[in-house]
Amino acid sequence: MQKKMAYSFPDEVLEHVFSFIQSDKDRNAVSMVCKSWYEIERWCRRKIFIGNCYAVSPRIMIRRFPEIRSVELKGKPHFADFNLVPEGWGGYILPWIVEMAGAYPWLEEIRLKRMVVTDESLELIAKSFKNFKVLVLSFCEGFSTDGLAAIAASCKNLKELDLRESEVDDLSGHWLSHFPETYTSLVSLNISCLGSDEVSFSALERLVGRCPNLRTLQLNRAVPLDKIATILRRAPQLVEFGTGTYAAELRPDVFSNLAGAFSSCKELRSLSGFWDVVPAYLPAIYSVCSRISSLNLSYATIQSHDLIKLVCHCPSLQRLLVLDYIEDSGLEALASSCKDLQELRVFPSDPFGAEPNVSLTEQGLVAVSLGCPKLQSVLYFCHQMTNSALVNIAQNRPNLTRFRLCIIAPRKPDYVTLEPLDVGFGAIVQHCKDLRRLSLSGLLTDRVFEYIGTYAKKLEMLSVAFAGDSDLGLHHVLSGCESLRKLEIRDCSFGDKALLANAAKLETMRSLWMSSCSVSFGACKLLGQKMPRLNVEVIDERGPPDSRPESCPVEKLYIYRSVAGPRFDMPPFVWTMDDEDSALRLS
Amino acid sequence: MSMAAVETKKITLRTADNHEFEVEEAIAMEFSTIKTFFDENPDASEDTIPLPNVTSKCLSAIIEYCKSHLAFRARETSSSIDEQVRTYDEEFVKARDNESLKELILAANYLNIKALLDMLNQAVADRIKNKSVEYVRRFFGLENDYTPEEEAAIRAENEWAFEGVDPDDD
């Protein structure tokens, strides 16, 4: 009988096998196999994603993973986008940069979302990482063009600088001139968020001209239309292009120059920008439209008939971001012309107006759900909805994975039957079995949460506003949604009972946000005591919570699991509920 | 002897289970371990080379692989050849059970055949992706040497701190 050979894989063979395993989930599984595998794996992990910067500390990360080349971090909760997180709440990147500057001299990539980045941080990045290649700052704030100048001047191997949606103090367009004349490695540049009217156009032109690998270029509004042709002629290899202002006096020579420049861009697949559009200039892009897969018109204030003409030229469109000027008629045209559409986002042109200013209703979304078989991801702002439309959408498109409906006025019922929209959203979760992301709106009772808890087994992130009647609603979600990672709630009458009854669930989720709900200070303290591994943070700008009765609801509550314990960088209006009896930790 | 035009040089290899394999020199040179040995000992080519770490089953498969890849490389490069190579590699791996795959990796590592090792290691990685920790342990015949407390602590750190990339979810 031949004995089975003992397979003792040498370390270098294991390391080689691990190099083919990139997903964090698989890497984590590998680290748990046994102690020697943990050791081998931690030395060869190169990429880290940290979904909540306060769930871990830089020290813990560095101690475990000494050879990281790429870090991605997220800071503030998502509701910060709706101004619900007060200024100064946190999410500072500087402490991370300071630690990484010492530990990771070969760091190449930093990607941040909703973090506070200062010029000091940017200067430290520029100084510390000799092989720095990628900087993505998404929804970040706190820095100026001076910090960008430091990056431009020092990072000789920079490939990607992407400032998408960040708030930048645009002090001077001259930061672009800080890229040395010898610098040629740019692949991707997104400066669309820069606000000032100044742009150093000649520096931009020279930069674009000397970077042959440039694939993505997204300009800011300050770049005039008559400069687009110059830029495109220097970079006909572009795959993604974002214009600046798309307005100018209509002149045939400018038009034909522009059209000619676009037509020479054979690789172009994605267009964005389009501020202040003068519709007569839109046909200049028609020559590339047949290959366009992504179109971001969310700043384009053009009317439905112009949008229809444009959309009909784009049969390969997979992703469309557009204002509600597109109206139902435009969405019907989209549904007929763009059979490959996967993602649709319709934004409100007048979110604060009393009456709808456009003819965009539930019908437009129904049409797209019917006509576009590959539609997976929807974000739709509108003024009215019916259960029957939602049921239609659910039946037409069971392959939806992301569905965010934003009926602008809170608590609006089905406008035909005046019923709550429970049944409609119930149909969505029942039919769309792979739904990972859901945002609710309209008039909703506890019933909708019962449907969600029963059917939405793959749901990972749920956003709720002005909905539900009682704690039962919250209880359904926390006890039923097995895959839930992030839950954000505002202005709902959910209170202590469901939260305390489902405390253990909170350790299986990344975070819970509740603002303008009915969770008492006493319940927050109790939760903090019961669950020492959760950070239970009370945000209250009215002053210390213990200056009010314990039964008083807190303004805002942010609960998240952490291996780093409570944080110490809290502003005066944030309190962490400690696990010591009745202790209240002040910042 | 007199009628043969050019006789290709053959090398004899003896496996762990005492089988002898006669292979063409070109194939034996694909094994970097053997190539290095001959580069340093040019007179040794008449001797039988012992391979105490390789079974006959393994060596036979490895010889097949190297023969096929040599033949592919001799042809002109084209996308159809690339396609054929890919198909060959897929079939080569698909046929092996987990035990054979592991044996082949150890043999390819010992013989230092880079392309084969790359391919096999990728195949093993693919077989353990998306699997539970227990499955991976069984696959490699490894014992869990963590205490329950240690395991819980690492699991928490893995899932809470280093959880994995968000799909773009706003």
Side-chain angles (χ1 to χ4, degrees):
Chain A
M1 181 180 73
Q2 182 157 34
K3 279 212 206 112
K4 221 164 53 167
M5 278 166 69
Y7 298 116
S8 169
F9 272 49
D11 283 4
E12 70 270 13
V13 174
L14 279 176
E15 226 183 277
H16 194 194
V17 173
F18 295 170
S19 72
F20 296 110
I21 297 174
Q22 295 301 327
S23 92
D24 294 287
K25 193 161 150 282
D26 288 329
R27 286 239 146 202
N28 288 343
V30 157
S31 72
M32 300 219 38
V33 164
C34 62
K35 290 182 181 177
S36 63
W37 276 42
Y38 176 93
E39 276 304 303
I40 298 171
E41 194 281 319
R42 77 183 186 87
W43 279 93
C44 65
R45 194 177 305 204
R46 296 284 175 264
K47 231 176 132 122
I48 287 281
F49 170 84
I50 294 169
N52 173 6
C53 64
Y54 291 118
V56 68
S57 70
R59 292 255 163 93
I60 293 174
M61 174 185 74
I62 289 166
R63 195 172 62 214
R64 178 163 172 193
F65 299 115
E67 297 279 345
I68 295 295
R69 299 277 183 275
S70 165
V71 171
E72 182 168 349
L73 283 159
K74 289 186 169 186
K76 298 184 214 170
H78 172 238
F79 270 178
D81 292 356
F82 306 101
N83 297 314
L84 289 177
V85 177
E87 187 81 28
W89 172 85
Y92 306 105
I93 194 58
L94 187 60
W96 289 83
I97 306 291
V98 167
E99 302 266 2
M100 292 194 298
Y104 298 149
W106 300 110
L107 190 69
E108 294 178 6
E109 305 183 353
I110 295 176
R111 292 178 172 83
L112 305 176
K113 190 167 187 180
R114 292 193 196 95
M115 293 202 73
V116 178
V117 180
T118 55
D119 286 346
E120 187 186 351
S121 308
L122 293 175
E123 282 150 22
L124 194 52
I125 290 172
K127 210 171 58 178
S128 313
F129 307 119
K130 299 297 168 217
N131 200 22
F132 197 66
K133 294 191 175 140
V134 172
L135 184 62
V136 178
L137 302 175
S138 172
F139 292 88
C140 293
E141 52 160 354
F143 61 103
S144 79
T145 43
D146 286 352
L148 297 178
I151 297 282
S154 305
C155 300
K156 301 183 184 16
N157 296 314
L158 192 71
K159 283 173 36 175
E160 203 174 316
L161 179 61
D162 183 341
L163 307 176
R164 56 179 85 157
E165 312 287 349
S166 289
E167 256 178 55
V168 185
D169 203 357
D170 195 348
L171 303 172
S172 152
H174 290 293
W175 71 272
L176 268 174
S177 322
H178 287 252
F179 281 110
E181 290 303 314
T182 48
Y183 168 74
T184 58
S185 37
L186 196 61
V187 174
S188 173
L189 181 66
N190 178 356
I191 53 172
S192 53
C193 62
L194 292 184
S196 88
D197 286 336
E198 261 189 71
V199 64
S200 176
F201 190 75
S202 57
L204 177 64
E205 203 188 328
R206 281 195 318 274
L207 178 64
V208 167
R210 67 178 184 268
C211 294
N213 298 319
L214 193 64
R215 289 282 167 274
T216 297
L217 179 63
Q218 284 154 326
L219 304 171
N220 58 330
R221 195 176 190 172
V223 178
L225 179 141
D226 59 4
K227 297 290 193 189
I228 294 176
T230 317
I231 290 279
L232 290 181
R233 288 196 200 284
R234 286 185 189 256
Q237 76 281 5
L238 283 177
V239 175
E240 291 187 320
F241 179 64
T243 74
T245 181
Y246 206 71
E249 199 191 310
L250 189 55
R251 284 175 40 189
D253 56 327
V254 172
F255 181 91
S256 66
N257 195 18
L258 186 59
F262 270 113
S263 69
S264 65
C265 296
K266 306 294 184 202
E267 309 299 319
L268 208 49
R269 296 290 176 272
S270 166
L271 287 172
S272 59
F274 297 108
W275 283 276
D276 323 304
V277 175
V278 163
Y281 274 110
L282 281 175
I285 66 172
Y286 283 176
S287 64
V288 295
C289 280
S290 62
R291 292 185 293 267
I292 291 295
S293 59
S294 170
L295 195 52
N296 183 350
L297 299 170
S298 47
Y299 297 109
T301 49
I302 41 179
Q303 301 307 309
S304 181
H305 58 272
D306 290 309
L307 284 164
I308 291 175
K309 277 196 283 188
L310 181 50
V311 144
C312 289
H313 275 86
C314 304
S316 310
L317 201 59
Q318 291 175 16
R319 185 170 184 260
L320 176 66
L321 278 63
V322 72
L323 287 168
D324 56 9
Y325 290 127
I326 195 168
E327 298 189 328
D328 289 342
S329 54
L331 292 175
E332 276 149 32
L334 182 68
S336 318
S337 308
C338 303
K339 295 306 186 185
D340 285 341
L341 195 71
Q342 292 174 21
E343 181 178 352
L344 174 67
R345 296 190 185 210
V346 179
F347 296 103
S349 52
D350 183 18
F352 304 112
E355 290 300 315
N357 56 328
V358 291
S359 176
L360 179 105
T361 70
E362 75 283 4
Q363 291 311 315
L365 187 55
V366 171
V368 177
S369 74
L370 190 57
C372 300
K374 300 188 187 165
L375 189 69
Q376 277 181 15
S377 173
V378 170
L379 169 62
Y380 199 74
F381 280 83
C382 60
H383 292 270
Q384 64 183 47
M385 187 50 61
T386 62
N387 280 310
S388 132
L390 284 171
V391 170
N392 268 351
I393 290 163
Q395 288 171 339
N396 291 339
R397 283 288 58 78
N399 48 320
L400 285 172
T401 55
R402 297 157 48 79
F403 188 72
R404 296 168 62 190
L405 181 69
C406 304
I407 303 168
I408 292 169
R411 300 197 184 91
K412 267 194 122 164
D414 176 321
Y415 74 91
V416 170
T417 65
L418 299 181
E419 304 262 288
L421 291 174
D422 299 339
V423 164
F425 279 106
I428 293 280
V429 292
Q430 199 174 348
H431 289 269
C432 305
K433 301 199 192 310
D434 289 325
L435 197 70
R436 290 186 323 245
R437 173 82 177 94
L438 179 63
S439 288
L440 306 173
S441 56
L443 181 65
L444 296 164
T445 72
D446 285 345
R447 200 81 199 285
V448 74
F449 298 109
E450 195 182 340
Y451 290 131
I452 291 173
T454 306
Y455 294 109
K457 296 306 182 187
K458 301 265 181 79
L459 191 66
E460 295 179 16
M461 184 174 176
L462 177 64
S463 307
V464 185
F466 301 100
D469 312 310
S470 76
D471 268 37
L472 202 50
L474 180 57
H475 177 72
H476 283 308
V477 171
L478 289 177
S479 57
C481 295
E482 292 160 7
S483 310
L484 197 64
R485 290 185 301 116
K486 289 184 279 185
L487 179 57
E488 47 184 26
I489 301 173
R490 61 165 295 184
D491 295 276
C492 297
S493 51
F494 299 143
D496 302 346
K497 249 177 72 186
L499 197 56
L500 291 171
N502 291 282
K505 172 75 173 172
L506 300 175
E507 275 192 357
T508 69
M509 292 164 54
R510 183 190 296 173
S511 66
L512 168 64
W513 169 280
M514 293 179 74
S515 55
S516 307
C517 296
S518 309
V519 180
S520 72
F521 175 52
C524 293
K525 283 203 296 189
L526 198 52
L527 192 60
Q529 282 165 28
K530 253 178 95 166
M531 309 293 298
R533 296 193 300 172
L534 294 179
N535 284 354
V536 179
E537 292 182 7
V538 169
I539 301 168
D540 212 315
E541 291 178 283
R542 296 171 297 180
D546 62 355
S547 63
R548 291 178 289 279
E550 279 213 357
S551 56
C552 194
V554 300
E555 263 181 7
K556 299 172 186 180
L557 180 59
Y558 186 50
I559 302 171
Y560 56 92
R561 61 191 182 180
S562 176
V563 297
R567 58 181 177 121
F568 296 104
D569 62 353
M570 295 171 299
F573 52 84
V574 177
W575 290 267
T576 289
M577 302 298 102
D578 210 80
D579 51 326
E580 285 155 29
D581 283 338
S582 309
L584 190 60
R585 186 183 310 238
L586 293 161
S587 57
Chain B
M1 266 291 173
S2 49
M3 302 228 282
V6 178
E7 216 173 73
T8 51
K9 177 106 172 282
K10 295 230 195 278
I11 312 272
T12 310
L13 307 168
R14 190 192 309 123
T15 63
D17 45 346
N18 262 316
H19 286 232
E20 288 197 356
F21 286 77
E22 224 181 41
V23 291
E24 288 173 18
E25 188 181 26
I27 294 180
M29 292 300 127
E30 292 287 290
F31 308 169
S32 296
T33 307
I34 292 186
K35 180 171 188 305
T36 310
F37 173 74
F38 282 143
D39 286 345
E40 290 166 6
N41 301 284
D43 301 326
S45 54
E46 296 301 313
D47 306 337
T48 300
I49 312 285
L51 302 175
N53 292 353
V54 186
T55 64
S56 53
K57 185 163 150 254
C58 268
L59 187 59
S60 146
I62 288 174
I63 288 169
E64 270 313 305
Y65 178 89
C66 291
K67 238 193 216 160
S68 308
H69 270 250
L70 270 172
F72 281 128
R73 289 213 297 273
R75 292 156 72 182
E76 238 178 66
T77 46
S78 74
S79 61
S80 100
I81 298 289
D82 289 345
E83 184 62 43
Q84 287 178 42
V85 169
R86 259 196 301 275
T87 309
Y88 177 85
D89 284 355
E90 270 169 32
E91 296 297 311
F92 186 86
V93 160
K94 217 162 69 174
R96 319 284 156 190
D97 64 16
N98 293 344
E99 293 307 311
S100 314
L101 202 53
K102 288 186 285 180
E103 249 188 81
L104 279 170
I105 288 178
L106 291 170
N109 185 51
Y110 172 73
L111 293 170
N112 198 358
I113 309 168
K114 187 175 181 308
L116 177 58
L117 198 53
D118 275 351
M119 204 259 292
L120 293 173
N121 281 340
Q122 169 84 72
V124 161
D126 290 342
R127 288 198 188 180
I128 63 176
K129 277 178 194 170
N130 255 317
K131 294 286 197 297
S132 69
V133 178
E134 290 70 33
Y135 179 93
V136 180
R137 282 182 190 138
R138 279 198 313 271
F139 185 102
F140 282 89
L142 292 164
E143 291 290 313
N144 176 13
D145 55 356
Y146 288 118
T147 66
E149 293 76 31
E150 285 168 338
E151 200 168 340
I154 299 178
R155 188 183 302 276
E157 197 176 274
N158 282 347
E159 287 171 19
W160 298 12
F162 310 118
E163 59 190 294
V165 181
D166 273 339
D168 168 42
D169 63 1
D170 299 82

